[in-house]
Amino acid sequence: MIRAKENIIGWFDIETTSLNQLKGAIIEFGMVLLDKDKYVDELLIQMKPDQANDLIEEQSLSSQGRTLSEVMQYDDANMFLEKINAFFEKHKDILSQQGHKIYPAGHNITSFDLNFLYQWAKRKFNINIFEKYFHFDQIDTLS
């Protein structure tokens, strides 16, 4: 069992354009980094979807209180890797304690967020995001 008071945890949440993990896009990635249960930093990345290739469902956006025109003003999704790499570089000293990876944590991340993030990063950037940034074990408040 992962203990938040003994590890570096990244509490995170994503917002998406669809519930379809194979075709939807992530439009917001937010994470709060904790080192042994103490606040370290936070990261918020808002990204516009690729209208030609991503499934965008109006119902998903409206349930978040967003419009497509608002979302299309966000940064290009290609900035995601640059921003997350800069975040990990900024905190490399504490992350070196855990092999430069964090334990992901959040609500319902096991059945939705982690799978969506994995599929999206694989499709968008051709990377396995977990091999690069996250440990396999996670904390899910719903499980």
Side-chain angles (χ1 to χ4, degrees):
M1 172 185 264
I2 304 165
R3 298 175 190 262
K5 291 184 178 186
E6 299 170 4
N7 293 288
I8 300 165
I9 307 291
W11 289 93
F12 83 96
D13 188 33
I14 61 172
E15 299 299 338
T16 66
T17 61
S18 170
L19 294 177
N20 185 321
Q21 298 176 3
L22 299 176
K23 296 181 181 178
I26 294 174
I27 54 173
E28 187 171 279
F29 175 90
M31 182 171 62
V32 175
L33 186 64
L34 301 177
D35 182 8
K36 298 172 185 63
D37 225 14
K38 292 190 172 96
Y39 174 85
V40 175
D41 200 356
E42 57 194 66
L43 174 66
L44 178 65
I45 305 171
Q46 293 181 313
M47 303 158 283
K48 62 183 167 189
D50 178 347
Q51 287 186 287
N53 296 308
D54 295 327
L55 177 61
I56 303 169
E57 295 175 336
E58 190 64 38
Q59 182 179 1
S60 291
L61 297 179
S62 65
S63 71
Q64 302 165 32
R66 302 173 202 251
T67 64
L68 181 58
S69 60
E70 173 191 352
V71 169
M72 293 311 293
Q73 299 303 310
Y74 294 164
D75 289 337
D76 188 82
N78 291 325
M79 295 299 294
F80 176 79
L81 288 180
E82 184 178 319
K83 290 180 179 185
I84 200 166
N85 283 334
F87 186 80
F88 273 70
E89 179 65 24
K90 178 180 176 183
H91 300 294
K92 66 182 176 185
D93 291 341
I94 63 167
L95 292 172
S96 67
Q97 302 168 37
Q98 286 183 180
H100 298 281
K101 295 182 180 182
I102 61 168
Y103 287 102
H107 186 74
N108 196 29
I109 63 169
T110 303
S111 63
F112 184 75
D113 296 59
L114 291 175
N115 291 329
F116 202 109
L117 182 60
Y118 172 79
Q119 294 294 338
W120 176 78
K122 183 179 171 185
R123 187 175 74 243
K124 188 83 178 158
F125 307 111
N126 197 31
I127 65 165
N128 182 334
I129 198 152
F130 297 105
E131 286 180 357
K132 187 164 176 90
Y133 301 108
F134 300 106
H135 287 288
F136 179 75
D137 295 328
Q138 64 262 335
I139 298 172
D140 191 329
T141 60
L142 195 61
S143 296

